[in-house]
Amino acid sequence: MAIFYIAKRHRDSGSIRTTPIGYINSCFAAKNGTPRQPTVCGPSRATLQIQQTVFNNPDHPLIGLDEYSHVWIIFLFHKNGHLSYKAKVRPPRLNGQRVGVYSTRSPHRPNALGLTLAKLEKVEGDTLHLTGVDMIVGTPVLDIKPYIPCYDCPHTRLDTAVQEGDLLSEDESDCQITSPSGPNTALVLDSEEASTTPCQVSPRSDGLGALGEMLSEVKDYLQQGELTKGGAAEESNQSELVGPEGDAGGRLHFGQESYSTIAGWIKQPPVSTLEVRFTSHAERELMEFLPSDSTVMDKPRFKFLKDSDEAAAAIKAVLSADPRSVYRRTRCQDRLFFFSMDTADITCWFGDGFAEVLRVQPILL
């Protein structure tokens, strides 16, 4: 009763207490040079260890998580400095143009929460091994949730024209797969089976069989044709329609395919992707780094990245997305740029349409 009273009091006063469940240990030690999105640098690696202060047996909450390939990581932007925020921001990809903060993923927001979709490589006891991350060392993690395509990805959801009761009753499972016994039958899974079975959309079953399916698809086709014609008269740079294959308005989709829309500047930003190259000296320095599993002690060695090839791919991924701020990109005359990755300090410079790596040196501890 006392716990509820305390929680209600904080809720009513506008404050909510959270407890980090763990802290990120990653190949990025500082904000400078860290990818702004998780998919930018696929080879980037990190670990997350669950705190024993949260769970007496920190490995227990991770039981079953290894059945998923990706996880959502909800974290705190703890390096925001004075934690100021504004209603309008200038995303780096917009090169100085202003938009509302809630139409961006800016870290500077009233509640400095971040969301990352990371690839789960493995679970070892109380520790998650992740790739494709955009979090720095020491990032406080507030929660972990499994990524489930049939819930999280609009392209795999049921057609919105189908009412909730058409396929499943309220007390049946959220996931449904096509039964191998026939095209118009569906196998409903209980929640435990659904957690380990890929979620697929079953055919529509409205009592009309193949004819009903065909008429429904024709109706959807005509409806989207009207939408397409109506939208053609407007400017198309505000947002783009993305279909199940990721194409943007290239062809009409109908039937059970669903859509998501994104701002046009995400698909076609004013900032172009850069070509990345290494000087011969930088290539030689990078090759001096030993793999993470090496036992040799007299040479620099990676801690997270597997080898020099993976490090080169990670460096190219970070620089091709141009990690510089808008100020450094547009107003600063100094074109040198420094950042660290894993156990390496990288020096590069930016030219017109390219970035060149000059030095790759071991971090001096």
Side-chain angles (χ1 to χ4, degrees):
M1 196 69 179
I3 296 176
F4 171 78
Y5 174 77
I6 293 173
K8 184 177 185 301
R9 183 188 66 185
H10 284 290
R11 182 195 66 193
D12 293 343
S13 65
S15 61
I16 300 173
R17 290 184 177 180
T18 58
T19 301
I21 62 172
Y23 297 86
I24 289 292
N25 189 16
S26 84
C27 61
F28 301 110
K31 292 192 299 181
N32 203 37
T34 299
R36 296 188 177 98
Q37 301 297 332
T39 56
V40 169
C41 185
S44 60
R45 297 180 180 274
T47 59
L48 170 61
Q49 185 177 23
I50 305 299
Q51 296 283 95
Q52 194 168 10
T53 54
V54 180
F55 294 101
N56 291 331
N57 300 295
D59 57 321
H60 285 189
L62 302 181
I63 294 175
L65 191 61
D66 57 354
E67 297 181 25
Y68 298 90
S69 64
H70 293 75
V71 290
W72 293 108
I73 305 294
I74 302 171
F75 63 93
L76 188 69
F77 287 109
H78 67 302
K79 290 291 187 179
N80 273 5
H82 43 71
L83 295 177
S84 65
Y85 55 86
K86 296 181 180 179
K88 291 184 178 181
V89 296
R90 294 186 174 96
R93 286 170 65 87
L94 267 178
N95 214 27
Q97 300 178 41
R98 288 179 178 268
V99 291
V101 65
Y102 289 133
S103 66
T104 74
R105 296 185 175 185
S106 169
H108 303 285
R109 40 206 323 123
N111 298 302
L113 297 178
L115 179 67
T116 283
L117 180 61
K119 189 175 188 304
L120 180 60
E121 295 293 337
K122 61 181 177 179
V123 177
E124 286 185 333
D126 60 358
T127 302
L128 283 71
H129 294 259
L130 309 168
T131 57
V133 299
D134 56 352
M135 299 169 287
I136 67 174
V137 172
T139 297
V141 173
L142 303 180
D143 200 8
I144 305 165
K145 296 181 185 294
Y147 172 73
I148 306 175
C150 63
Y151 303 151
D152 299 341
C153 181
H155 302 156
T156 60
R157 293 177 184 169
L158 298 177
D159 185 2
T160 54
V162 180
Q163 298 299 319
E164 182 179 358
D166 289 345
L167 294 178
L168 296 174
S169 62
E170 293 183 358
D171 59 346
E172 288 177 323
S173 171
D174 291 321
C175 290
Q176 185 170 334
I177 65 170
T178 304
S179 170
S181 59
N184 291 321
T185 59
L187 176 64
V188 178
L189 304 178
D190 61 33
S191 58
E192 291 185 1
E193 290 175 323
S195 66
T196 58
T197 306
C199 296
Q200 301 175 2
V201 177
S202 62
R204 292 178 69 159
S205 176
D206 52 8
L208 297 179
L211 178 60
E213 286 186 289
M214 181 183 71
L215 292 176
S216 176
E217 290 186 353
V218 171
K219 178 183 176 182
D220 291 334
Y221 180 92
L222 293 176
Q223 285 179 341
Q224 293 192 32
E226 291 297 322
L227 289 173
T228 303
K229 288 188 290 185
E234 301 177 357
E235 294 292 335
S236 61
N237 60 350
Q238 296 298 321
S239 62
E240 298 192 12
L241 191 65
V242 180
E245 285 80 22
D247 53 341
R251 65 179 180 90
L252 287 175
H253 301 278
F254 54 94
Q256 293 181 348
E257 297 172 330
S258 57
Y259 301 86
S260 59
T261 56
I262 60 174
W265 61 270
I266 298 293
K267 294 286 288 184
Q268 295 179 334
V271 179
S272 59
T273 301
L274 301 180
E275 175 194 356
V276 180
R277 55 198 188 212
F278 289 74
T279 64
S280 57
H281 183 70
E283 287 180 341
R284 289 194 300 270
E285 288 182 328
L286 183 58
M287 294 300 296
E288 289 291 318
F289 282 78
L290 299 175
S292 56
D293 57 356
S294 175
T295 58
V296 178
M297 303 300 294
D298 59 344
K299 287 188 176 182
R301 182 181 55 150
F302 290 117
K303 179 180 178 182
F304 292 95
L305 300 170
K306 289 183 177 180
D307 50 35
S308 57
D309 289 337
E310 187 171 80
I315 293 171
K316 287 181 179 179
V318 168
L319 294 179
S320 64
D322 199 343
R324 295 175 296 173
S325 65
V326 175
Y327 173 80
R328 288 189 63 87
R329 188 186 302 142
T330 59
R331 299 183 182 181
C332 187
Q333 295 182 349
D334 185 6
R335 295 196 171 191
L336 285 175
F337 187 79
F338 308 90
F339 69 102
S340 62
M341 180 181 292
D342 204 336
T343 57
D345 274 330
I346 295 108
T347 304
C348 62
W349 77 285
F350 289 87
D352 294 331
F354 71 90
E356 187 173 47
V357 180
L358 305 177
R359 299 293 304 270
V360 181
Q361 299 173 293
I363 295 177
L364 299 178
L365 301 178

